[in-house]
């Protein structure tokens, strides 16, 4: 009887330990579906700091525009006077575990692949303010994604971090001296982090949990997404962790956003799966309005350096196809929709720079 009781006790302990074992965070060979990589899974959404008070405003949720989805989208023309480059994730091999980083001229010409490791995932890229390099996230091992810097002139790559966790969404500060990014772990916790350009001086923003951070044009504030499942919104905080405040009240807000070069506007995206839209609003959260035509499942926006255009991912030409997302641009007044990429695989997470 004692032996049986001992065996039952050991079995129970093993079961409890197994149930609490962290689930590894690693690339999977799944087909790409509605850009799940650009926002943490709803089951692991972080909560905003408890001390944060909800602001005293109740912005109306914008309603979709009445314009029908375009049947075909034209390419840019010289009259558009587009400048700079757009770096993005290109799913060349049609599996997330082999995502690569590509770059294209803002007019859609000169597309080329930047990363070279076929069997390793690379994503969440952004350009340096001087246009000479990019930072991005790449898989290293289970529960470990590192941040790398790639020189666009000679192709050299430097690893900036060392086993801090699942690091994603890196972006250079406007002066190029710092990098903001997201740190996640296997238990679903997310922190907004900042480090020096060379990877040193890593630290979190005190009292802030969230993901998909981006800088204000003056480098003094950080915009990021946070909130519980079903209640994700955008927040702004000073770099030192002070003056944390909510700036959106959108239904089904997702994550990655951007701040206009003049500091006056924000772009983000929201909506249920396969019905997402890009919204533009004032930096204080007022005057939120839908920017993209309906029917494109539009997401992941980024302002052009001159603030006149927004790049984003959408499925206008291949709606319903997991591999059908391409990079599009549109003016900030909602006119002149243009298509930049045209591939049989998914192009997503655009970030516009010099």
């Amino acid at each position: 009887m004692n032996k049986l009781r001992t065996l039952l006790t050991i079995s129970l302990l093993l079961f409890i330990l197994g149930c609490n074992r962290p689930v590894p965070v690693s690339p999977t060979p799944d087909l790409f579906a509605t850009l799940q990589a650009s926002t943490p899974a709803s089951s692991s959404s972080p909560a905003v700091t408890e001390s944060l008070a909800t602001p005293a405003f109740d912005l109306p949720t914008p309603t979709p525009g009445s314009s029908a989805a375009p049947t075909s989208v034209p390419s840019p023309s010289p009259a558009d006077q587009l400048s700079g480059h757009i770096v993005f994730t290109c799913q060349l091999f049609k599996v997330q575990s082999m995502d690569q980083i590509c770059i294209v001229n803002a007019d859609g010409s000169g597309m080329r692949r930047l990363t070279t490791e076929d069997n390793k995932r690379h994503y969440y890229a952004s350009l340096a303010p001087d246009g000479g390099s990019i930072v991005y996230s790449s898989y290293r091992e289970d529960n470990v994604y590192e941040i790398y810097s790639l020189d666009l002139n000679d192709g050299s790559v430097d690893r900036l971090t060392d086993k801090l966790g699942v690091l994603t969404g890196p972006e250079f500060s406007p002066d190029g001296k710092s990098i903001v990014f997201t740190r996640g772990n296997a238990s679903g916790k997310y922190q907004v982090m900042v480090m020096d350009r060379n990877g040193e001086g890593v630290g979190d923003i005190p009292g802030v949990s969230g993901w998909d951070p981006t800088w204000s044009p003056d480098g003094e504030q950080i915009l990021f997404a946070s909130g519980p499942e079903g209640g994700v919104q955008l927040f702004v905080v000073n770099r030192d962790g002070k003056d944390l405040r909510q700036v959106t009240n959108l239904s089904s807000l997702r994550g990655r956003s951007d701040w206009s070069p003049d500091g006056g506007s924000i772009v983000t995206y929201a909506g249920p799966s396969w019905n997402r839209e890009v919204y533009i609003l004032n930096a204080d959260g007022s005057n939120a309005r839908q920017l993209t035509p309906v029917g494109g499942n539009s997401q992941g926006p980024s302002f052009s350096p001159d603030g006149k255009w927004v790049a984003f991912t959408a499925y206008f030409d291949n709606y319903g196809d997991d591999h059908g997302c391409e990079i599009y641009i549109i003016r900030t007044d909602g006119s002149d929709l243009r298509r930049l990429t045209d591939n049989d695989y998914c192009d997503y997470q655009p970030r516009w720079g010099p």
Side-chain angles (χ1 to χ4, degrees):
M1 178 65 69
N2 290 335
K3 288 184 180 180
L4 178 59
R5 185 174 301 164
T6 301
L7 288 173
L8 288 173
T9 302
I10 293 173
S11 298
L12 179 60
L13 287 172
L14 289 174
F15 175 77
I16 293 173
L17 290 172
C19 290
N20 288 279
R21 182 176 60 86
V23 179
V25 178
S26 59
T28 64
D30 300 335
L31 293 179
F32 189 74
T34 53
L35 303 189
Q36 292 176 354
S38 61
T39 302
S42 59
S43 59
S44 59
S45 295
V48 181
T49 308
E50 292 182 359
S51 61
L52 176 63
T54 302
F57 63 80
D58 186 17
L59 297 179
T61 299
T63 54
S66 59
S67 58
T71 54
S72 63
V73 181
S75 300
S77 69
D80 294 327
Q81 298 182 331
L82 300 166
S83 62
H85 301 82
I86 296 173
V87 65
F88 59 97
T89 302
C90 43
Q91 203 165 84
L92 302 174
F93 305 104
K94 297 186 177 181
V95 289
Q96 288 184 346
S97 61
M98 299 169 70
D99 279 354
Q100 302 296 317
I101 304 297
C102 292
I103 193 169
V104 66
N105 296 330
D107 63 2
S109 66
M111 176 178 166
R112 61 190 176 101
R113 175 182 171 183
L114 298 177
T115 50
T116 59
E117 299 167 293
D118 289 352
N119 297 312
K120 195 173 181 180
R121 187 181 192 188
H122 318 71
Y123 69 146
Y124 266 119
S126 64
L127 280 150
D130 63 4
S133 61
I134 67 167
V135 284
Y136 61 93
S137 175
S138 183
Y139 176 77
R140 180 174 178 180
E141 59 188 68
D142 284 356
N143 300 323
V144 178
Y145 276 73
E146 305 286 10
I147 292 175
Y148 295 82
S149 174
L150 185 151
D151 190 300
L152 295 178
N153 296 311
D154 60 17
S156 60
V157 176
D158 293 319
R159 180 169 54 80
L160 303 181
T161 56
D162 186 17
K163 295 188 176 181
L164 297 177
V166 181
L167 309 184
T168 59
E171 286 198 359
F172 287 103
S173 59
D175 62 8
K177 296 180 179 180
S178 302
I179 296 172
V180 68
F181 61 97
T182 303
R183 178 187 181 185
N185 59 32
S187 62
K189 301 297 183 181
Y190 294 86
Q191 294 173 285
V192 176
M193 310 287 290
V194 175
M195 66 182 176
D196 298 336
R197 169 66 180 82
N198 61 4
E200 298 180 356
V202 179
D204 64 343
I205 305 297
V208 172
S209 64
W211 61 89
D212 285 336
T214 189
W215 297 93
S216 63
D218 60 8
E220 297 297 320
Q221 300 177 91
I222 295 171
L223 174 72
F224 65 97
S226 188
E229 180 179 358
V232 176
Q233 297 296 335
L234 294 183
F235 296 80
V236 170
V237 67
N238 293 348
R239 182 170 176 168
D240 61 6
K242 297 179 180 179
D243 195 21
L244 176 62
R245 59 198 184 277
Q246 181 178 337
V247 294
T248 62
N249 187 23
L250 292 168
S251 176
S252 302
L253 191 141
R254 301 298 301 170
R256 209 173 200 202
S257 306
D258 199 15
W259 212 316
S260 65
D262 65 4
S265 301
I266 288 170
V267 283
T268 189
Y269 72 106
S273 179
W274 286 105
N275 287 284
R276 295 170 182 159
E277 301 292 351
V278 171
Y279 293 87
I280 187 168
L281 53 152
N282 296 341
D284 63 1
S286 62
N287 195 28
R289 56 210 183 275
Q290 185 174 314
L291 180 64
T292 48
V294 297
N297 191 31
S298 305
Q299 47 207 289
S302 174
F303 277 105
S304 62
D306 63 9
K308 297 179 180 179
W309 296 80
V310 173
F312 61 99
T313 300
Y315 297 75
F316 287 113
D317 295 276
N318 299 286
Y319 187 84
D321 180 358
D322 284 343
H323 303 300
C325 56
E326 304 288 356
I327 306 300
Y328 296 80
I329 61 172
I330 194 170
R331 291 187 187 272
T332 54
D333 64 0
S335 65
D336 294 336
L337 179 66
R338 304 283 188 256
R339 176 178 175 172
L340 294 189
T341 60
D342 185 8
N343 302 301
D344 63 353
Y345 52 81
C346 194
D347 296 316
Y348 70 111
Q349 292 180 333
R351 229 49 180 171
W352 204 327

